[in-house]
Amino acid sequence: MNIVISGVGGQGTILASKILAEAAKQSGAEFVRTGETIGMSQRGGSVLSFLREGNISSPYIQKGGADLLLSFELCEGARNLPYLKKGGNAVINTAKIKPLSVSLGNAVYDEAAITGYINENSSATFIDAEKIAVSLGNAKCINIVMLGAAFGKGFLNFGKETLIEAIKSTVKPQFTELNINAFEKGIEATEL
Amino acid sequence: MTETRYSYTRLRGERVEISEILSSRIENMRKLLLGNEAIAQAAIESGVGVVCGYPGTPSTEILETAARLKADAPNLYIEWSTNEKAAVEVAAGAAYSGVRVLVTMKQVGLNVASDPVMCLSYIGVKGGMVIVVADDPGPISSQTEQDTRHFAEYAHIPVLDPSSPEEAYLMTKAAFLMSQRLGKPVILRPTTKVCHASATIQIAEYRIQNIEDRYSPLRGEHCDDLKDLHRELPAGAPRFVKDPRWVIFPPLAYRRHNEIAEMLQKESESATEFDKFYNEHSRYGIAAGGVTWAILNDVLIDLDVIISRLKIGRPHPAPLRLADTFLAETECVLVLEELDPVIEDILISRKGVIGRDIQIMGKRSGFVSHAGELLYADIKKYVCDFLGLSNHDNEEDLIAAPDCTPVRAPVLCAGCPHRASFYAVKTAAKGKNPIYCGDIGCYTLGNAKPLETTDTCLCMGAGITIAQGIKHSNPDTTVFGFIGDSTFFASGITGLANAVYNNVDVNIIILDNRITAMTGGQPHPGTGKTMMNTDSPPIDIEAVVKALGVGFVKKCNPFDQVSAVETVKSAVDFNGTSVVIFEAPCINLIKKPKLYTVEGCIGCMRCVNEIGCPSIFVEDKTAKINSDLCYGCGLCQYVCKAGKIKEVTL
Ligand code: SF4
Ligand code: SF4
């Protein structure tokens, strides 16, 4: 399975890929690899995480190679959609983080065009993960809400228990409960 | 009699004997490790006694992981040194004493450390010394695309080039053994895509590599007698043995030069376990190294191509016999490697030696691009062009790239004190058309709109010194030099001494955010913390600057804009070298103190256009603040002349 996770620096894409890698490992995958493009991401740049399992040598997924795209931010979802296989699955957070270039008037963030592009090229599921995270009292758990949604849609090949175990073993102990809640809420959001 | 057990190592594709003693540890030792974590893990397992380095992407996590694993290695000493040169020298002293040492840095850090590294190549070491230098093809977060494999060749130091995290793990162990065997430092050169990739690694399985290794970290020496392995040296016994070999003099250097040349020549006769020729008896062949090797294998499987391949894991000294065999079996060779044509040059020279007319396609022949990473798509294209295969088979299967996505460049964080410092300097210098000399750190981002307060950036510490050269050639211009706190300790003090002693009228702004922020928050001599979890009296930057004899020194909080601007103005008026220290912590060191919100915005867009805080955005022609991102610094409130930005207490 090939998964691409995209977002903005600080949104916890790396943690999400760690959790999925841990889940893959626990469910007996022979080999798991992840790769990140971090670099200057800490300062609000675009970030991309790759996760692959199976008999492969490198973690980097080519355009058209991902079975699943999870995007924690709307326009990052569009930017990275070409990584998705035609007919692949995508879950995209509708929350927007406008880059500074947009506020300064040097670029436009055209929500309609972005959503239009995504819909035209995929059958992505949109969820407002930010709203759910905020309702749980911590916008930082957007990443886990997104994992919940991907699981709820049946896009992840792991059991629920495995994922919860992976969350428990990856996040800081004081955030375990919040994150498990976030995971459940993410699943619920796809059941509506 | 102990029963012999076997295990299959995926990486080497062969069965390896595991002794009974170790087999009990195998359970649950399959860990998901980042390349950098794997290097640290392997170093600890190799009995490393001293780890030092200077932070730099993509190498930083190696030392941080070693610090986390300290519990497994109670005698480990670990430090973030003030710079890479200091790190290599500290480590060398320990290695002279027989201790195994690991030094970590990024590729440009090796430039700083090149003085001790070049000399150490002659002097050699007693305890194994592995210098990890992370290269950054792209470059993704560096000033240059320099290739450490070339540096290693220039310095006559062996270098290993891992293709994956698990190979980085194995190579680290092999590097310690190699270093100890040759009595020379060994460079391990992972690239960003190895450092920041992770893989499930069988730790226990790989431990077998150490059965032969009778190095005792407790004694700081190789133990021929197994009994000694776990015995400490008698208390107080010095490990360092006095010997003329530790003093570099021209006659010694001359002698060592010949010895080293012979030693490396001899090494190049044999290949390591990381060099391999996969002979498929094809007329065409591909040679590769580093992460390119791993991606190449995926490409070949996807293309369903079977072809002879040469993998180079130790580019210097290159395995010449292996290269010769590869060339003897092929007629046309494609060389794929990131950065410099190192493998390609080896093959070109061997082709001359063995006198076979082979076509070698690579960077020298103009076939492969010199700069940047080799991504999957690039490698696929080169392989297809090389073999005359069509590469358009999946064009229509691809989703077309969007044209509606705005660029997202990195920016200074919301609430970053550097923004306030830059803004104060800009306000103070309004109308003077000053020149701003920047440096390496988060604050290099001060070059972006709307701040635009970085006109030059070269290398660590160059802000202060470039400013001096610019002042000499532009005497009537106001010139600023910026430098961060960690950079100041790393390589700013000497440049400042140069300015003061030569009485240059430059205005140096020290951006003291109390941490090495750019690389994720490492301590430095001004922070009062060490990597040994101890407190140390912080070195006071202001006192250092005063001691150098700077005539104008003032410290102030950049968020107090009124006095910040006044201070910079008087620094500019001062005739001679002046220093302003802006002290305020990086937001990652503090809890969000409060929030700000916009009420009744009149739409003048001053806050947006003046300071460029990423939490301020525009909606319906008015400014709004993203309450998640806002860190409550209050700079926008100062900037909003209409008084529409209000404080919200948390
Ligand atoms: S990490 Fe700290 S120093 Fe760097 S941009 Fe953010 S607030 Fe500024
Ligand atoms: S107070 Fe203003 S300038 Fe500071 S972080 Fe918040 S929005 Fe940005």
Side-chain angles (χ1 to χ4, degrees):
Chain A
M1 189 168 47
N2 294 334
I3 303 176
V4 172
I5 304 177
S6 66
V8 174
Q11 281 193 309
T13 50
I14 295 174
L15 187 77
S17 90
K18 261 198 189 148
I19 291 172
L20 290 180
E22 204 50 49
K25 203 186 98 187
Q26 283 172 18
S27 41
E30 186 212 352
F31 220 81
V32 186
R33 294 183 181 280
T34 72
E36 342 277 348
T37 53
I38 21 189
M40 292 186 78
S41 56
Q42 214 190 353
R43 321 290 165 267
S46 303
V47 262
L48 208 48
S49 283
F50 302 103
L51 177 93
R52 303 179 77 188
E53 56 165 301
N55 196 9
I56 31 95
S57 319
S58 117
Y60 300 97
I61 298 172
Q62 72 273 29
K63 300 264 161 75
D67 305 295
L68 173 63
L69 168 72
L70 295 180
S71 186
F72 297 178
E73 199 275 346
L74 184 67
C75 85
E76 294 309 316
R79 197 191 312 282
N80 296 298
L81 203 67
Y83 278 102
L84 201 60
K85 271 191 185 113
K86 275 206 171 158
N89 299 314
V91 182
I92 293 174
N93 182 9
T94 52
K96 306 177 293 279
I97 300 179
K98 291 188 181 169
L100 192 61
S101 55
V102 171
S103 311
L104 292 173
N106 301 325
V108 255
Y109 195 119
D110 183 343
E111 190 178 350
I114 291 169
T115 317
Y117 164 82
I118 296 173
N119 280 328
E120 215 166 275
N121 289 290
S122 71
S123 49
T125 306
F126 291 94
I127 77 158
D128 191 341
E130 186 177 10
K131 199 165 127 201
I132 299 172
V134 169
S135 77
L136 291 169
N138 194 333
K140 286 261 173 291
C141 59
I142 287 181
N143 52 356
I144 314 292
V145 174
M146 291 295 294
L147 292 184
F151 175 78
K153 290 296 288 182
F155 296 160
L156 297 175
N157 296 338
F158 318 117
K160 189 171 169 183
E161 281 313 307
T162 312
L163 278 161
I164 289 182
E165 275 313 306
I167 292 173
K168 280 188 190 158
S169 66
T170 314
V171 304
K172 291 204 184 97
Q174 66 266 38
F175 297 120
T176 307
E177 203 187 312
L178 171 75
N179 281 306
I180 290 175
N181 266 337
F183 184 69
E184 296 284 0
K185 287 276 185 258
I187 301 177
E188 271 172 36
T190 59
E191 284 166 352
L192 299 176
Chain B
M1 210 183 87
T2 42
E3 180 197 342
T4 312
R5 296 238 203 146
Y6 292 94
S7 170
Y8 183 79
T9 59
R10 186 182 192 283
L11 188 85
R12 291 202 244 153
E14 58 201 32
R15 273 148 56 91
V16 177
E17 202 177 297
I18 295 180
S19 79
E20 185 73 85
I21 334 156
L22 289 168
S23 60
S24 60
R25 298 201 212 144
I26 291 179
E27 302 314 319
N28 285 325
M29 289 307 278
R30 211 162 60 112
K31 279 195 184 167
L32 184 79
L33 295 179
L34 208 59
N36 281 344
E37 293 172 334
I39 294 169
Q41 173 79 34
I44 300 275
E45 288 176 21
S46 301
V48 71
V50 169
V51 180
C52 12
Y54 187 78
T57 313
S59 70
T60 314
E61 299 85 357
I62 304 170
L63 193 139
E64 290 181 329
T65 307
R68 261 205 326 274
L69 296 174
K70 213 181 158 301
D72 293 343
N75 293 325
L76 178 66
Y77 172 76
I78 183 160
E79 71 172 33
W80 279 125
S81 311
T82 43
N83 65 22
E84 293 85 352
K85 174 173 147 67
V88 169
E89 291 158 352
V90 169
Y96 288 177
S97 313
V99 174
R100 283 195 177 168
V101 298
L102 181 77
V103 192
T104 75
M105 64 192 71
K106 68 182 296 179
Q107 90 286 41
V108 284
L110 183 57
N111 303 339
V112 178
S114 65
D115 198 358
V117 171
M118 292 303 282
C119 301
L120 207 53
S121 172
Y122 286 74
I123 284 291
V125 290
K126 188 171 160 210
M129 178 183 217
V130 178
I131 308 176
V132 186
V133 184
D135 279 357
D136 185 25
I140 298 170
S141 37
S142 306
Q143 307 95 291
T144 70
E145 270 205 303
Q146 65 193 68
D147 192 322
T148 297
R149 295 176 302 165
H150 249 149
F151 190 104
E153 190 187 348
Y154 169 50
H156 307 305
I157 292 178
V159 59
L160 296 175
D161 183 14
S163 63
S164 63
E166 61 271 35
E167 203 176 42
Y169 175 84
L170 290 177
M171 279 185 175
T172 305
K173 294 191 163 187
F176 276 110
L177 297 183
M178 192 188 295
S179 165
Q180 202 121 15
R181 181 168 56 81
L182 301 177
K184 274 178 74 73
V186 169
I187 294 178
L188 178 77
R189 174 263 194 188
T191 54
T192 309
K193 280 192 153 42
V194 171
C195 294
H196 287 166
S198 60
T200 35
I201 299 180
Q202 299 276 8
I203 287 174
E205 180 183 341
Y206 292 150
R207 268 193 195 182
I208 41 178
Q209 183 139 27
N210 266 3
I211 294 178
E212 295 296 295
D213 180 15
R214 296 209 188 138
Y215 170 77
S216 163
L218 291 176
R219 303 178 66 87
E221 61 190 14
H222 186 87
C223 299
D224 288 324
D225 189 345
L226 262 183
K227 286 202 302 294
D228 286 339
L229 207 58
H230 300 292
R231 268 215 311 256
E232 279 206 54
L233 282 181
R239 292 178 175 179
F240 178 78
V241 181
K242 295 189 185 193
D243 189 315
R245 69 174 278 203
W246 303 125
V247 184
I248 197 162
F249 269 123
L252 175 64
Y254 174 83
R255 183 163 55 79
R256 289 290 293 150
H257 193 172
N258 277 325
E259 287 170 8
I260 291 165
E262 271 168 39
M263 171 201 292
L264 295 178
Q265 181 71 35
K266 196 165 147 250
E267 284 297 298
S268 66
E269 293 297 320
S270 57
T272 68
E273 62 207 281
F274 309 110
D275 305 293
K276 258 203 180 125
F277 171 29
Y278 297 83
N279 192 353
E280 303 289 354
H281 308 284
S282 52
R283 285 194 303 127
Y284 282 59
I286 305 180
V291 73
T292 304
W293 169 259
I295 303 176
L296 171 70
N297 283 327
D298 284 345
V299 167
L300 293 176
I301 289 172
D302 294 350
L303 287 172
D304 213 2
V305 165
I306 292 175
I307 187 170
S308 288
R309 286 155 298 147
L310 177 69
K311 171 178 183 281
I312 298 290
R314 187 193 60 194
H316 183 74
L320 302 183
R321 295 294 148 255
L322 194 73
D324 292 353
T325 330
F326 171 70
L327 291 174
E329 298 262 345
T330 42
E331 282 163 25
C332 189
V333 170
L334 168 66
V335 190
L336 291 173
E337 60 193 315
E338 289 175 322
L339 308 178
D340 293 348
V342 171
I343 299 175
E344 186 177 349
D345 283 353
I346 296 166
L347 295 180
I348 290 173
S349 84
R350 293 320 289 175
K351 163 183 142 176
V353 172
I354 64 171
R356 240 174 84 82
D357 185 24
I358 302 160
Q359 200 184 353
I360 296 181
M361 322 260 289
K363 303 194 181 206
R364 298 272 180 220
S365 67
F367 189 72
V368 176
S369 146
H370 277 272
E373 298 177 277
L374 287 179
L375 302 175
Y376 182 98
D378 306 313
I379 295 174
K380 189 171 172 211
K381 179 188 168 296
Y382 290 130
V383 170
C384 288
D385 289 354
F386 175 62
L387 297 174
L389 302 172
S390 74
N391 185 26
H392 56 76
D393 46 5
N394 61 357
E395 285 285 289
E396 65 276 11
D397 297 338
L398 289 180
I399 296 173
D403 53 10
C404 53
T405 45
V407 202
R408 192 183 295 279
V411 281
L412 292 171
C413 300
C416 176
H418 298 330
R419 179 174 291 106
S421 303
F422 283 131
Y423 191 63
V425 172
K426 224 175 138 172
T427 312
K430 205 165 236 150
K432 288 194 185 310
N433 197 18
I435 296 170
Y436 303 109
C437 301
D439 216 301
I440 309 284
C442 287
Y443 51 96
T444 315
L445 296 172
N447 79 318
K449 280 187 171 38
L451 291 169
E452 298 178 293
T453 40
T454 302
D455 300 318
T456 72
C457 178
L458 186 72
C459 62
M460 291 282 286
I464 294 180
T465 25
I466 298 252
Q468 296 165 43
I470 289 187
K471 185 68 189 180
H472 293 313
S473 26
N474 304 268
D476 300 328
T477 308
T478 304
V479 185
F480 290 97
F482 293 93
I483 190 163
D485 41 354
S486 187
T487 311
F488 179 74
F489 288 112
S491 52
I493 299 175
T494 44
L496 188 56
N498 196 66
V500 189
Y501 188 68
N502 295 302
N503 195 24
V504 193
D505 187 10
V506 286
N507 310 290
I508 306 306
I509 312 288
I510 301 179
L511 303 167
D512 183 3
N513 61 357
R514 319 298 305 137
I515 198 83
T516 317
M518 180 69 183
T519 41
Q522 290 73 29
H524 60 64
T527 60
K529 294 275 172 229
T530 75
M531 286 310 271
M532 295 297 285
N533 278 327
T534 53
D535 292 331
S536 199
I539 298 176
D540 180 359
I541 296 180
E542 188 179 5
V544 171
V545 172
K546 282 190 174 147
L548 286 176
V550 177
F552 179 103
V553 187
K554 282 241 159 71
K555 181 151 108 180
C556 86
N557 179 352
F559 290 116
D560 182 354
Q561 282 284 308
V562 178
S563 77
V565 171
E566 281 319 307
T567 308
V568 176
K569 278 187 179 157
S570 13
V572 170
D573 290 343
F574 179 79
N575 195 0
T577 308
S578 65
V579 170
V580 175
I581 303 163
F582 279 132
E583 190 187 283
C586 164
I587 63 162
N588 293 309
L589 297 176
I590 49 168
K591 271 185 76 171
K592 191 188 276 205
K594 51 196 170 195
L595 269 183
Y596 285 81
T597 152
V598 190
E599 277 168 26
C601 174
I602 57 165
C604 72
M605 295 298 136
R606 229 182 103 80
C607 62
V608 172
N609 296 326
E610 291 281 302
I611 56 173
C613 172
S615 67
I616 307 179
F617 62 100
V618 187
E619 210 167 77
D620 307 327
K621 301 210 163 58
T622 59
K624 293 223 160 64
I625 290 177
N626 176 331
S627 59
D628 249 3
L629 288 178
C630 171
Y631 224 78
C633 73
L635 182 62
C636 55
Q637 188 182 42
Y638 169 81
V639 169
C640 177
K641 294 289 177 243
K644 301 295 183 194
I645 297 183
K646 303 267 160 23
E647 185 181 319
V648 185
T649 357
L650 288 175

